[in-house]
Amino acid sequence: MSADLDRPAERPAGTEILSGTGAVARAVRDAGVDVVSAYPITPQTEIVESIAEYVETGELDASFSRVESEHSALSAVMGAAQAGSRTFTATASQGLLYMSEMVWWTAGARLPVVMAIANRALGPPWNIWGSHTDALSQRDAGWSQVFAASVQEAYDLTLAAYRIAENEDVMLPAMVNLDGFTLAHTMQPLELVSETAAHEYLGEISIPHELDVENPRGYGAMTGGEDFWRFRRRMMDAMAAVPDATRGALDDLADVTGREYDLVYTYRTDDADVVIVGLGTMAREAEVAADLLREEDGVDAGVVRPILYTPFPEDEFAAAVGDATPVVLDRSTSFGRGGILTRDVVMALDRPVASVIAGIGGQSVDYEDMARIVRQAEPGETAWFGGEIQ
Amino acid sequence: MSWTGEDTGQQINDGHPACSGCGMILGVRHLLEEAGEDSTLVIPASCASVVQGVYPYTAFDVPVVNTAFAASASTASGLRQAYEQQDEDTNVIVVAGDGGSTDIGLASLSGALDRDDDILYVLYDNEAYSNTGFQKSGRTPGGAQTTTTPTGRIGRQKDIDEIVSAHDPAYMATASPGFVPGLRRKAEKGLAADGISFLHLHAPCPPGWRIDTDETVEVARTAVSSALWVLFERERGGEYTLNNPSVSAFRNPDPVAEYVEGQGRFDTATDADVEALEEQAAQNIEYFGQFTDREVSPR
């Protein structure tokens, strides 16, 4: 890093046009993350390319390690977090599966790592396009997960993810999901938080079990059956604290930005008879479908979109859906069980829902398609867009 | 610093659960005395992860980060990154077995070597997966019985030193619990090196090798005297330097049979297996002999 490339003392707030990947990278820069390690994979790559540039030009005073695999990327940031640093990595698809062992290890080690996932299908067959199966396959590993639906949300939720993960009642890693290409590579206006405001929002990282050579302890050592469950029980309690931590993180961010988020985002649900349920950008597109259904079909349609996915905010979700009939657009598959999101929805509502597997592997589903899906979907049934529903 | 029984500030407490006569714990004890208390250990799945003790106890007087089997070098890299960002000078030391280093963890070791992260990577080599009951690893010698090679391993040991050497680390060395002063000197050099260093520690394993618990040091010395274990070191960009115990051994090598006959794991070794090990020792003498000015004996 050359001296003439010293970063400015203050980066002010402002508006820029950025992609979803650019927004995540900018949030990592503005958060002042200490240690980044990553391995490239489409469609995540632009995130870490941007961060590498910030580090090399001195815009971000961080250590960036170019590792030889995703498994090493997550183990490196895990080691750095264990030493007390604020960390970041990003991946997608096969890369996430390759690091899955460390996904579990990081959570079990109770380290507040933040990782962005540019959601993408799993092979075979090879497919680089959007699907949620990568992140949802890790649902039970002990990470909180949020899903962004715009460039602005990708930025805001990345900042909030640090607050969620580092919350003293949580101390669990966090995933920020953004749809591959659809959001990752789409340019939209982005309102930035000033560097000072971002730093004040996040505060100093404090990990209670940070390594200390003055007080040596072993972390992750062998445990027997009399102790292991206690660690898992504490993780369960920590995960139960995530909704409150997320609400607090989003409320405090709203004080800085004026942008308010709830755990579950709703669109025209007050008088809705039918609600389209989805994660990320599909549920944004569904807002147009709801308008169309209201105008052309006289159907009172709305949209319910969980921003926090893990743990699933069941109460907020059930309240948002109310008595409306849900049509779940699922960009994931649980073979033998239908869509993964659908199972969470059924658990929260305890009644049959219409489930449609739509938009996996980059399958195009526009708002007119969604309106057709709503017209044809049957509660209690799982249908495929392109199959039972044309 | 002394290692002869005075208060050395050793970093392994009494009562640790290592097997009697464990070559690894003997070597690691000396290593940690050199490293001192301002050190952090990274330990993957291995005997070392058991030897540290069962929660809530720990045998080490330094912090230990346990990590997944394949992840020790990369976890250590992340620790080093964090310490550099924090301006901390703490030693970051990996203690990993031959399975975790030469097999499942080879990619992350190669990555750390490639990045030249400032860590000391200690591979303790008991030549099998001893932690899980002595199955074949890439480092199991030809002819040796393991629970997955019940009639003896076919083939020969993976040459991890040449693999590491090809990465040109800041410092690399082999060491033996049979030659402790050299082991300590190399640990000190590895800790002081500017960049990544690699210490390959021979670690006789009494239960797996089926030797008596008081034979560890003797068997380790026989490995050197028969030229099957070669003591050398190498600094970045340089050639191997052959160390004195091996210079002496190369002048007048002991028969490989002496090493083999002392160990139960070679009970099913055939004459051809022993000849293959003799050939390996002869190749060691021929290859490493060129890195000393002193005369060595052809076999």
Side-chain angles (χ1 to χ4, degrees), chain B residues 224-260:
Chain B
V224 172
S225 65
S226 62
L228 278 171
W229 187 266
V230 182
L231 290 169
F232 60 80
E233 58 196 307
R234 177 180 178 276
E235 289 176 39
R236 174 166 293 148
E239 292 192 332
Y240 289 117
T241 301
L242 194 63
N243 300 133
N244 278 333
S246 284
V247 173
S248 304
F250 283 16
R251 281 202 207 124
N252 185 24
D254 284 340
V256 165
E258 270 183 30
Y259 179 71
V260 169

Side-chain angles (χ1 to χ4, degrees), chain B residues 120-134:
Chain B
L120 171 60
Y121 191 105
V122 180
L123 155 57
Y124 67 88
D125 193 350
N126 47 34
E127 302 183 337
Y129 300 121
S130 290
N131 184 33
T132 43
F134 214 72

